[in-house]
Amino acid sequence: MRSNVEVVPTRRTAAVAAGTALAVATAAALLGISLWPMVVVAAATWWTTLGPRVGRITALGLVGPGTLVLLLGTLIVTGATGLPAFGTLVATWLAVGVAGCVAVGRSPATSRPSGPGPDLASLWVPALLGPVVWLSAVLTGVSSGSVARLSWTMMGDSVTNLLYARSIVDAGGVAVGGDQNPVPLPSALIAISAWAGRGDTPGADLLRHDLTGFVVVWTLLVAATCFTAGLAAAVTVGPRHPRLAAASGALGSALPLTWFVSGYALEFGFFNAHVVLPVLLLCWVVVVGGTRSDAAVLLALMLSTTVMLAAWTPLSLLPAALGVVIVLRRRRELIATRTRRIALGLGVVQACACAALVALPALRSSGGELDADGWVYPLSPWVVAGASVVAVAVTVVAVRRRDPAAAHVAALTIACVIGVGALLLVNVGQASVWNYYPLKLAWLSCVIAIVVLVATTVRLLASAGRTTLAGLVGAAIVLALTIVLPQTPRALGDRPTSNPLQRVVGGAAFTDAQTDEILRGADPDRPQIRWSDGADDEDDVNFWILQMLTPYPTDDDPLYRLSYSYRTGNLDDLCEIARLVRPAITIRTDDATLTEQLDRACPGFAGRVVVTDPA
């Protein structure tokens, strides 16, 4: 009787605390600060509610991907119906949060999470090392007050990601169909991050506002990648070896802060890498550590498959392969109750809906784009072959030791090999089969493999009673990776490469002056570019400005094409830019004769030429 008296106030207190946090977060969204606190608080209430029922690890695997699916689904609905997108997002997450607060107050008091989830000392806390280091570096960069600190989100494909995000904001939601973005989730997250307060932002500050939103969401996703990498390593080693698990979790959480993971992604603008990596790592965490409900684990994998379909489709093979293992092992138990059948049925429906609405139409319309080349690091095929051999060896040892992770390691290995092999097959007949898509899939697969294979090796050695050897082997592998991975950029020649921590602290793509010029030039009310001033950075600065003046990233748009193809100093191209940009563009130059040249080359030129001091 006494325990009941003590538990009820605890549940009420938790519900009241969650409700208060939700109210503050909702106010932050409505005041134009950010929507993310609202999303995080609402999601946290459901993690708290589901934890006692399915285990904290499995609950995290459900809530994380489920949050991303709901965000994307809401924007697809607003795009199709014309409902106000930001208002609908606020209303949706307010409803989710209120329901979560009620569920917290009614959650069972006697249920306790089982399995490794509650072991804070060895599993959860060590995984926070990477996020703490990363967030500290970002805050250090932000506190400097330099606008160049925005430019670490301005490299490679980042400009296209931001353009897609702006098109989502302008359209009031995500459009689906054959001629639309085939993987809209990453851009949708950027749009959500920039939406709050955007309507009240003057044109001169619009790009700064959007880039700030981009910085916020990418910062959060890198932190999530660090945490899930650490959690994956710790859970794989397991709670039976708490010291090894803690050390593995701490080191695993730091892996995304190497050049090979986040440095690569920042340099090439692969924002979607930090959308998919934490979800894929969560898949591994759930199948290895989520021991309470196989049906809930399978549902988490279905949600993760949907995230992959909407973020980077080839990776959908990985959670699907892990799901197949569970179905083959537990097919009867999975459908033993009506609740399980309904939940799994809904999981199948949402995955099929994403495939039918987003992935398949885009795949049909894109035709042969999977064999397209692109800007990507030339990862050696021997690295992939070596990783595959190691994966097979670890799987064989795990099978002989009857380790429960053996089937999951095998499933991931097979899925990665099939995925890369299929993309290579698509490229047959091209100048090189080893181009953008297989290279990017191979890289992401190697990132997952490093975490999974190293932690599994340590686990196998520790389980065989060789705890000291396990620690030495793990330390040796981590040391080797620490030495080898930072050297990898040397293969890129004289291209600028650096650790992601250096980028966010010291700036990346542009200096303060260059970033300021881009922010001013991309003002939709007073656009301006630089022309023939002899500076080496002219093309890079103009490229960003012209891209930001483009409504949608498509080759059908002449200004979008021209941003890539214009020739520096060519008056015909400058006339075409002046004709396409509205309102009339301002051209800054140190050539005093440019006005006369434009009058002759561009009849009816309505822009303005500002001659600057060459010095």
Side-chain angles (χ1 to χ4, degrees):
M1 184 71 179
R2 182 181 175 184
S3 62
N4 289 336
V5 172
E6 291 177 348
V7 165
V8 172
T10 301
R11 288 187 297 171
R12 285 180 180 172
T13 301
V16 170
T20 302
L22 181 64
V24 173
T26 303
L30 295 176
L31 290 173
I33 299 174
S34 177
L35 187 65
W36 291 121
M38 191 178 186
V39 173
V40 170
V41 170
T45 61
W46 283 103
W47 178 68
T48 303
T49 300
L50 293 172
R53 292 175 169 85
V54 299
R56 290 180 185 174
I57 284 178
T58 305
L60 188 61
L62 288 168
V63 171
T67 296
L68 298 178
V69 170
L70 182 56
L71 286 169
L72 178 63
T74 302
L75 289 181
I76 290 176
V77 169
T78 61
T81 62
L83 291 170
F86 184 72
T88 303
L89 284 168
V90 171
T92 298
W93 285 96
L94 180 60
V96 170
V98 169
C101 292
V102 173
V104 167
R106 294 180 177 178
S107 60
T110 56
S111 297
R112 293 182 181 273
S114 65
D119 197 338
L120 295 177
S122 63
L123 300 182
W124 297 83
V125 172
L128 293 173
L129 174 64
V132 169
V133 172
W134 167 251
L135 292 174
S136 298
V138 173
L139 290 175
T140 300
V142 170
S143 64
S144 71
S146 169
V147 291
R149 302 308 184 268
L150 297 173
S151 71
W152 62 267
T153 61
M154 297 175 70
M155 295 181 287
D157 290 347
S158 293
V159 64
T160 304
N161 289 319
L162 191 57
L163 269 180
Y164 275 127
R166 286 181 149 197
S167 70
I168 290 173
V169 174
D170 293 339
V174 171
V176 295
D179 57 344
Q180 301 298 325
N181 183 1
V183 282
L185 179 58
S187 297
L189 296 178
I190 301 171
I192 290 167
S193 191
W195 228 313
R198 194 176 192 270
D200 299 325
T201 303
D205 296 326
L206 198 58
L207 180 55
R208 185 191 301 269
H209 176 91
D210 291 345
L211 284 173
T212 301
F214 200 174
V215 166
V216 169
V217 67
W218 208 337
T219 297
L220 294 175
L221 287 171
V222 173
T225 304
C226 291
F227 178 74
T228 52
L231 189 60
V235 167
T236 302
V237 174
R240 292 183 180 180
H241 313 283
R243 292 182 180 178
L244 277 177
S248 299
L251 292 173
S253 73
L255 176 67
L257 301 182
T258 62
W259 180 87
F260 188 71
V261 185
S262 293
Y264 187 145
L266 295 183
E267 184 174 329
F268 288 89
F270 292 162
F271 172 68
N272 57 0
H274 285 115
V275 178
V276 298
L277 282 175
V279 176
L280 289 174
L281 290 164
L282 262 184
C283 290
W284 178 257
V285 170
V286 167
V287 297
V288 174
T291 59
R292 196 157 213 206
S293 171
D294 289 322
V297 169
L298 184 57
L299 180 58
L301 294 175
M302 290 178 179
L303 291 168
S304 299
T305 301
T306 301
V307 172
M308 297 304 110
L309 287 170
W312 208 65
T313 306
L315 287 170
S316 59
L317 288 173
L318 275 64
L322 294 173
V324 169
V325 174
I326 293 176
V327 171
L328 292 177
R329 283 180 168 180
R330 300 281 189 268
R331 53 187 176 276
R332 292 184 179 179
E333 292 89 337
L334 290 173
I335 57 174
T337 66
R338 181 182 178 186
T339 301
R340 291 179 183 178
R341 291 194 294 271
I342 293 174
L344 294 179
L346 291 174
V348 171
V349 168
Q350 59 86 32
C352 290
C354 182
L357 292 174
V358 178
L360 292 179
L363 185 62
R364 284 197 300 266
S365 68
S366 64
E369 285 188 9
L370 286 177
D371 61 5
D373 206 354
W375 196 36
V376 66
Y377 174 69
L379 186 68
S380 170
W382 292 108
V383 173
V384 181
S388 301
V389 170
V390 172
V392 171
V394 171
T395 302
V396 170
V397 174
V399 170
R400 293 183 63 183
R401 296 284 177 83
R402 297 183 179 180
D403 190 280
H408 303 307
V409 174
L412 283 181
T413 303
I414 293 170
C416 292
V417 170
I418 290 176
V420 173
L423 292 175
L424 290 174
L425 187 62
V426 170
N427 289 333
V428 171
Q430 301 297 315
S432 172
V433 296
W434 199 238
N435 58 21
Y436 179 82
Y437 283 100
L439 278 170
K440 188 172 180 180
L441 179 57
W443 163 58
L444 291 169
S445 299
C446 284
V447 173
I448 300 296
I450 290 172
V451 177
V452 170
L453 297 180
V454 173
T456 303
T457 300
V458 172
R459 167 192 177 126
L460 290 170
L461 289 171
S463 298
R466 301 177 181 178
T467 305
T468 302
L469 180 60
L472 291 174
V473 169
I477 294 174
V478 169
L479 180 61
L481 292 174
T482 303
I483 294 173
V484 173
L485 293 183
Q487 310 307 313
T488 307
R490 291 184 181 178
L492 294 172
D494 57 359
R495 281 187 42 213
T497 59
S498 62
N499 182 280
L501 298 177
Q502 294 174 297
R503 290 199 182 280
V504 300
V505 171
F510 299 102
T511 64
D512 272 339
Q514 293 165 342
T515 306
D516 265 328
E517 187 172 3
I518 292 171
L519 296 177
R520 290 195 310 270
D523 181 352
D525 299 322
R526 290 185 295 274
Q528 55 180 292
I529 62 170
R530 190 197 300 177
W531 195 261
S532 296
D533 63 358
D536 293 336
D537 62 350
E538 177 182 310
D539 288 344
D540 294 331
V541 170
N542 284 346
F543 171 77
W544 255 90
I545 292 172
L546 295 176
Q547 287 270 307
M548 291 300 102
L549 297 175
T550 303
Y552 190 79
T554 172
D555 287 339
D556 294 333
D557 187 293
L559 185 58
Y560 181 77
R561 291 199 309 271
L562 204 55
S563 68
Y564 285 97
S565 63
Y566 85 87
R567 295 156 293 179
T568 303
N570 186 284
L571 283 179
D572 291 336
D573 288 347
L574 181 56
C575 290
E576 184 66 6
I577 291 171
R579 184 183 68 81
L580 293 171
V581 174
R582 288 291 179 271
I585 195 168
T586 295
I587 302 168
R588 306 181 68 85
T589 183
D590 61 5
D591 183 355
T593 67
L594 184 61
T595 301
E596 297 176 4
Q597 295 179 52
L598 286 173
D599 288 338
R600 291 194 301 268
C602 313
F605 171 69
R608 186 167 70 103
V609 175
V610 176
V611 179
T612 59
D613 186 349

